[in-house]
Every structure is written in C-alpha cells, then in structure tokens.
Amino acid sequence: MGDIDQMMREIAWEVRATRTWIGREALAPPVMEAMRRVPRHEFVPSEFQSWAYADGPVGIGHGQTVSQPYIVALMTDLLEPQPDDVILEIGTGSGYQAAVLSQLVARVYSLEIIPELADEATARLRRLGCSNVEVKAADGYSGWGEHAPFDGIIVTAAAPHVSPYLVEQLKPGGRLVIPVGPPHGRQELQVISKDDAGEVTSRDVLPVAFVPLTRGRHSADTTPADSPQ
Ligand code: SAH
C-alpha cells in the first residue's frame, strides 16, 4: 500500500523544489497534518493500491484521476483555509481533496459532473466520517448559488477561462484556486483573490496538468454559454 511518511517527505521535497514558483519554503503545518491524517488508499481503486502513497496522480475510473498529493497539498495551502470557512470544490472525483479540506474548515460543498463518481464519493466520505462535506452531482460551472458566498473555491479540473459565476460566489477576502488553460496545452495554477472592496486580482503560481473541466456529460465545450445575472 505504500508509506505515508514517504508521501509526506515527497510533498515537502516538491514544495522546496518549486519554492521560487510558489513563493514558500514549506506549507502550513495544519495542511501537512491534514494530508497525513486522510487515508489516501481509501480513495484509490483496489488495483492501484500500491500507488496510493506515491506522489503521483492515480486513475479513479471514468477517465478521471485523484491528483498528485503535492498538488492537493499546495492547492489546499493556497486556499489559506481557516476553521470557520465554508469552501466550494468543483470536481469531487474520489473525494480525496474534499476529505483533506474537511479536516481544516467548517464545511465543504463539492460538485461532481459524473453522477457515479458523486455517489461513490458520498458513500466513501460518509464511511470515513467526513460529516461536514456535502457532494452533489452537477456541472460546477455555475457554482452552487444556494450555499454562496464562499470563503474559498477550489477547482480541480482545468478550464480555458475562469467561470464568472465562481468569481461572483466568492466572499470579499476570499480566494479561488484554479488551473487555467486548454485541455491538453499549457495550464497555470492561478490564485484569484477578491479583496474587501470586491476588487479581483489573479496571480500565476505554477504550470500544471489537470484533466479538463467539461460542460455536460459528453462535451468538452468550455465556452461560456451565458453569464451571471
Ligand atoms: N478533486 C478530485 C480529483 C478531481 S479530477 C479528487 O480529490 O479525487 C477532476 C474531476 O472534475 C473529475 O472527477 C471530473 O469528472 C470533474 N469535473 C469535470 N468537469 C466538471 C464540471 N463542469 N463540474 C463538476 N465536476 C467536473
């Protein structure tokens, strides 16, 4: 099954190796603790158990992957999660990222476009006692208005542009962490911040490779169909 100590060492090593990009030498200790606490092997299919604690992405079916642990840790850290925060995730996948966030914040809402993955993640998170996570099968492009605004939003699939709905559903002082770029081209992990006056700024953090954000089950069309009211 692998070794959690080794996974933690690899995350720390990757953080140091990319420090000039990400602007930090180490991630926040609570983030590292959450990474250590969540049993990644529970989120990885049985045939890939030997890769559960390797620092790489792992297939979870439906052509999707659970992200590399270093990327999960980095994106969590970039969100700067606080204990009272309410966070929206787009792209539940296995539920691993949601489980990591559930250790750090008050509430996690997560949207997954593939209903089978949403169902599996819901059952898994319930079994593991992550009672502060709610998963819904839906296209995350429009966010989750019912629970908005959010202290932070994390998107775990890449889009050519940032959905204006997500920016709108961010609280003043909140952060949106998102890979931006074409499906198989150059993608940048971006942090988009909304200040207390509602002013929005973005910065590029790191070149990354994510599965694409899709619009509707069979379409990779990511052009905006409409815009927020
Ligand atoms: N965060 C996940 C990994 C995500 S892989 C984990 O920890 O396991 C990206 C996920 O985004 C896939 O499951 C994919 O089905 C989902 N996805 C793609 N486009 C989406 C959309 N428009 N809305 C919601 N989920 C989407």
Side-chain angles (χ1 to χ4, degrees), residues 40 43 58 60-68 72 89-100 110-115 117-118 121 124 136-142 154-158 210-217 219 222:
R40 193 168 185 259
F43 297 82
V58 180
I60 56 171
H62 307 274
Q64 305 304 324
T65 58
V66 50
S67 306
Q68 177 188 5
V72 173
E89 178 190 32
I90 308 302
T92 317
S94 68
Y96 178 67
Q97 172 74 72
V100 170
S110 186
L111 294 172
E112 169 57 53
I113 202 166
I114 300 178
L117 286 178
R124 183 178 289 126
K136 188 171 81 168
D139 182 346
Y141 185 84
S142 327
I154 181 169
V155 183
T156 64
F210 274 80
V211 295
L213 193 81
T214 53
R215 303 286 315 276
R217 245 339 263 280
S219 151
T222 43

Side-chain angles (χ1 to χ4, degrees), residues 42-67:
E42 297 279 3
F43 297 82
V44 166
S46 51
E47 65 268 35
F48 298 134
Q49 282 298 303
S50 55
W51 299 101
Y53 292 97
D55 192 27
V58 180
I60 56 171
H62 307 274
Q64 305 304 324
T65 58
V66 50
S67 306

Side-chain angles (χ1 to χ4, degrees), residues 28-198:
V31 171
M32 293 298 271
E33 259 167 57
M35 293 297 298
R36 180 180 285 282
R37 221 176 302 131
V38 176
R40 193 168 185 259
H41 67 272
E42 297 279 3
F43 297 82
V44 166
S46 51
E47 65 268 35
F48 298 134
Q49 282 298 303
S50 55
W51 299 101
Y53 292 97
D55 192 27
V58 180
I60 56 171
H62 307 274
Q64 305 304 324
T65 58
V66 50
S67 306
Q68 177 188 5
Y70 156 69
I71 291 291
V72 173
L74 174 63
M75 290 177 79
T76 306
D77 192 77
L78 291 168
L79 266 182
E80 299 177 30
Q82 303 298 316
D84 293 336
D85 279 359
V86 178
I87 302 290
L88 174 67
E89 178 190 32
I90 308 302
T92 317
S94 68
Y96 178 67
Q97 172 74 72
V100 170
L101 284 167
S102 82
Q103 312 291 309
L104 294 161
V105 302
R107 190 127 189 96
V108 181
Y109 293 99
S110 186
L111 294 172
E112 169 57 53
I113 202 166
I114 300 178
E116 294 89 334
L117 286 178
D119 288 349
E120 287 168 26
T122 300
R124 183 178 289 126
L125 290 163
R126 188 175 304 141
R127 181 162 52 79
L128 295 173
C130 298
S131 54
N132 60 344
V133 182
E134 188 178 335
V135 176
K136 188 171 81 168
D139 182 346
Y141 185 84
S142 327
W144 197 339
E146 184 190 348
H147 299 296
F150 302 98
D151 298 287
I153 302 178
I154 181 169
V155 183
T156 64
H161 71 273
V162 178
S163 160
Y165 292 99
L166 298 183
V167 176
E168 192 181 62
Q169 289 177 19
L170 204 55
K171 268 186 204 167
R175 266 166 303 279
L176 167 56
V177 179
I178 180 171
V180 181
H184 302 290
R186 186 188 165 88
Q187 303 166 1
E188 275 297 332
L189 186 61
Q190 290 189 352
V191 177
I192 293 165
S193 309
K194 190 183 265 187
D195 70 15
D196 291 334

